[in-house]
Amino acid sequence: MDSLLCLCARRVVTQHPLPALPPHLYPILFQVAFLDGRPLVLRDLVASWPFPVLHFQRLVGQRELLWDHTCIDCVQAVIQAVVAQLQRELEEPGCHSSLRVLDMTRLSDSVSGCTPAALTSWSSTDALAKACVEVSKHQPEFRSRGSKRHKGHSGAATAAPWVPGVDVHADLVVNRRSYGILRDALQAGATGPLRLKCHEFKAKYISAYEILTLLKSLDPSCVRRVDLRFRNLGLSGLLVILPHLARFPELRSLKLQHSKVDVRHLTTESDIRILCVARKLGMLPSLRELNLGSSRLSGNLRQILCDLQAPLESLELAFCSLIPADLAFLSQSFHAPALKRLDLSGHDISQGLLEPLQLLLEETSASLLYLDLRECRMADSHLKALLPTLRRCSHLRFLGLYGNSLSTAVLKDLLQKTLELPDLHQVVYPFPVDCYKREPPESRRNFVKDKELFEAAKAEFSQILANSKRIDLIWTYTPLGCRALDYFSL
């Protein structure tokens, strides 16, 4: 139910143009105008924003909104209002706005509907890049005007003209289609009035050369996360990228997914390259999160992580072909007691990994918040063996077991015994193996899902939750829409 303040604000934002407003009402009016999809009102609010900072995510908060055309229009309206403000400041003497920083970081967390977060970040990146390029086109003309206004009657230059500008802090996403406009925007904004300050940089399937071009244009002091998705980058390509990341002293998160790094069959040359990779990773003093998903690291995890200066808090090694020695190293390393997030999806737990995994979970039990073990070929016996250790993970918030061969009975046992974990918020369980039925011999498929059996299993799970009064615990069989825990926000 809306508060009285929200109801009054909704009444105000129906008016256009807005009446004169006291400064303390701007935040609530901005929030309501965004939630109600009123881009014209947002433009008016930003045009007269009375504070030096407009922090988008703090104003809007986390809302169950779809990233639809209305939402996109609202974000674009904010950006267009900032552009219009800069043009006024450049053209009109003495027209100085209060707004100096527009913070649009974590925008995807503000609109948490069914659309993937990457789409929200890409849409805002596109709009910001176009705005930077638009402002830069008029920059020489504006500079000329400003220079003339600051000449004396004799033609001698007086004090240097006041240079207007707004720093836009944002998370940027780039792909092949948007590379050109973002490159131009970053290069134009380095000295322009609209300056992009990237906190999180995501690049998908563009070349290593294009990645380096963009990385060189980013403000080193602002970058916190780099997420690079390549095809067939390999060790040699990784060694091209990593040296350029050392210029970001505050880099906390590095994700290198699908880069096809394969170190299973070592040669003298690849052994040297692994040592070089480890050395380059060790040059990132603030690194706390590392994702090497889909690399082939068998037996080489120690060598890759050996030069890190501080313990990792998040480690994602999904489908990395790890062997027992890798998990044994990790359980004995200084990373284990610090880990909050651990993803070991895609490993065959029946191939000697069960005992090392138990030891690793013992060492992480005091800190672990997120554990993903999907598609680990886990059977009932494996989960029963892990369950005592899982129950000692007293702060666990997320458990992923999707894609394993588990029965309704063992899932019920898991549910009942993990109810005691007070922070557990979400469990993604697999479709129970006993909820499949055999197809007739003439069918091309041996087994299909039996919806009736599954509905009965779901009813049992729901009843256990209802009896325990754990209405806060989400127990779901579908991984779609399950957003990964971001431990940085804790």
Side-chain angles (χ1 to χ4, degrees), residues 27-56:
I28 184 63
L29 292 172
F30 184 97
Q31 181 187 94
V32 169
F34 181 84
L35 297 180
D36 289 359
R38 297 184 179 276
L40 294 178
V41 174
L42 287 170
R43 288 194 65 160
D44 289 350
L45 289 169
V46 175
S48 56
W49 195 252
F51 311 110
V53 178
L54 194 163
H55 196 299
F56 206 104

Side-chain angles (χ1 to χ4, degrees), residues 356-399:
L357 178 58
Q358 287 176 300
L359 292 174
L360 177 57
L361 293 181
E362 289 280 0
E363 295 300 321
T364 62
S365 60
S367 59
L368 198 61
L369 305 176
Y370 180 105
L371 176 63
D372 203 340
L373 297 173
R374 59 191 163 86
E375 299 183 35
C376 284
R377 299 191 180 184
M378 190 182 300
D380 285 0
S381 59
H382 303 129
L383 184 56
K384 288 178 181 178
L386 283 176
L387 191 51
T389 310
L390 288 173
R391 293 172 68 186
R392 283 193 279 277
C393 297
S394 55
H395 300 293
L396 195 65
R397 297 185 179 187
F398 174 93
L399 176 61

Side-chain angles (χ1 to χ4, degrees), residues 67-220:
W67 190 252
D68 55 14
H69 290 294
T70 302
C71 191
I72 292 173
D73 289 345
C74 287
V75 173
Q76 289 179 335
V78 172
I79 296 170
Q80 289 164 0
V82 172
V83 170
Q85 167 206 312
L86 289 173
Q87 291 176 339
R88 284 195 303 272
E89 290 180 351
L90 288 163
E91 291 176 327
E92 301 174 17
C95 181
H96 295 174
S97 169
S98 299
L99 183 62
R100 300 273 65 93
V101 176
L102 172 63
D103 192 327
M104 300 183 72
T105 57
R106 312 198 62 76
L107 182 59
S108 59
D109 292 341
S110 298
V111 284
S112 55
C114 301
T115 303
L119 180 58
T120 63
S121 298
W122 184 89
S123 300
S124 61
T125 298
D126 188 59
L128 284 170
K130 290 177 179 177
C132 283
V133 172
E134 177 187 344
V135 172
S136 69
K137 289 178 180 177
H138 304 286
Q139 193 172 338
E141 176 187 352
F142 293 148
R143 281 180 174 172
S144 174
R145 291 180 184 175
S147 177
K148 289 178 181 178
R149 285 198 301 265
H150 287 79
K151 296 274 189 179
H153 292 294
S154 64
T158 61
W162 178 76
V163 180
V166 172
D167 291 336
V168 182
H169 295 255
D171 302 326
L172 304 179
V173 177
V174 60
N175 55 24
R176 289 176 182 173
R177 185 171 62 172
S178 59
Y179 166 75
I181 186 70
L182 183 58
R183 177 201 59 207
D184 294 345
L186 289 171
Q187 292 174 353
T191 57
L194 190 60
R195 299 176 288 268
L196 282 180
K197 305 290 185 179
C198 177
H199 285 228
E200 180 172 347
F201 177 76
K202 291 184 180 181
K204 297 185 177 183
Y205 311 128
I206 61 177
S207 71
Y209 171 79
E210 291 169 329
I211 291 288
L212 293 181
T213 299
L214 297 178
L215 289 177
K216 291 175 182 177
S217 300
L218 299 179
D219 186 332

Side-chain angles (χ1 to χ4, degrees), residues 136-388:
S136 69
K137 289 178 180 177
H138 304 286
Q139 193 172 338
E141 176 187 352
F142 293 148
R143 281 180 174 172
S144 174
R145 291 180 184 175
S147 177
K148 289 178 181 178
R149 285 198 301 265
H150 287 79
K151 296 274 189 179
H153 292 294
S154 64
T158 61
W162 178 76
V163 180
V166 172
D167 291 336
V168 182
H169 295 255
D171 302 326
L172 304 179
V173 177
V174 60
N175 55 24
R176 289 176 182 173
R177 185 171 62 172
S178 59
Y179 166 75
I181 186 70
L182 183 58
R183 177 201 59 207
D184 294 345
L186 289 171
Q187 292 174 353
T191 57
L194 190 60
R195 299 176 288 268
L196 282 180
K197 305 290 185 179
C198 177
H199 285 228
E200 180 172 347
F201 177 76
K202 291 184 180 181
K204 297 185 177 183
Y205 311 128
I206 61 177
S207 71
Y209 171 79
E210 291 169 329
I211 291 288
L212 293 181
T213 299
L214 297 178
L215 289 177
K216 291 175 182 177
S217 300
L218 299 179
D219 186 332
S221 66
C222 296
V223 177
R224 303 293 187 270
R225 300 181 178 187
V226 172
D227 184 347
L228 308 178
R229 299 196 181 194
F230 294 95
R231 289 192 177 100
N232 303 319
L233 179 68
L235 270 176
S236 57
L238 194 57
L239 285 171
V240 172
I241 298 293
L242 285 177
H244 295 273
L245 299 179
R247 63 188 291 266
F248 303 128
E250 300 301 321
L251 182 66
R252 293 177 56 82
S253 173
L254 176 60
K255 298 186 178 184
L256 300 166
Q257 302 178 70
H258 310 299
S259 54
K260 301 298 182 184
V261 173
D262 192 340
V263 294
R264 289 175 295 180
H265 308 293
L266 288 179
T267 63
T268 302
E269 183 181 1
S270 61
D271 196 27
I272 294 173
R273 286 179 175 178
I274 289 176
L275 293 176
C276 289
V277 167
R279 222 169 8 248
K280 299 304 180 185
L281 289 174
M283 295 172 65
L284 307 176
S286 300
L287 191 66
R288 298 296 181 270
E289 178 173 58
L290 182 62
N291 184 337
L292 297 172
S294 298
S295 297
R296 304 292 186 261
L297 307 178
S298 302
N300 291 281
L301 190 61
R302 178 192 299 272
Q303 289 86 337
I304 290 173
L305 302 184
C306 65
D307 286 339
L308 292 182
Q309 300 180 33
L312 295 170
E313 298 176 18
S314 176
L315 183 58
E316 297 178 73
L317 299 169
F319 300 92
C320 282
S321 303
L322 301 181
I323 62 175
D326 293 313
L327 295 191
F329 152 71
L330 197 54
S331 65
Q332 297 164 11
S333 71
F334 73 155
H335 303 292
L339 283 175
K340 297 179 180 180
R341 175 183 171 89
L342 179 62
D343 186 347
L344 295 174
S345 300
H347 291 93
D348 189 345
I349 205 172
S350 66
Q351 299 298 309
L353 292 177
L354 180 59
E355 185 175 343
L357 178 58
Q358 287 176 300
L359 292 174
L360 177 57
L361 293 181
E362 289 280 0
E363 295 300 321
T364 62
S365 60
S367 59
L368 198 61
L369 305 176
Y370 180 105
L371 176 63
D372 203 340
L373 297 173
R374 59 191 163 86
E375 299 183 35
C376 284
R377 299 191 180 184
M378 190 182 300
D380 285 0
S381 59
H382 303 129
L383 184 56
K384 288 178 181 178
L386 283 176
L387 191 51

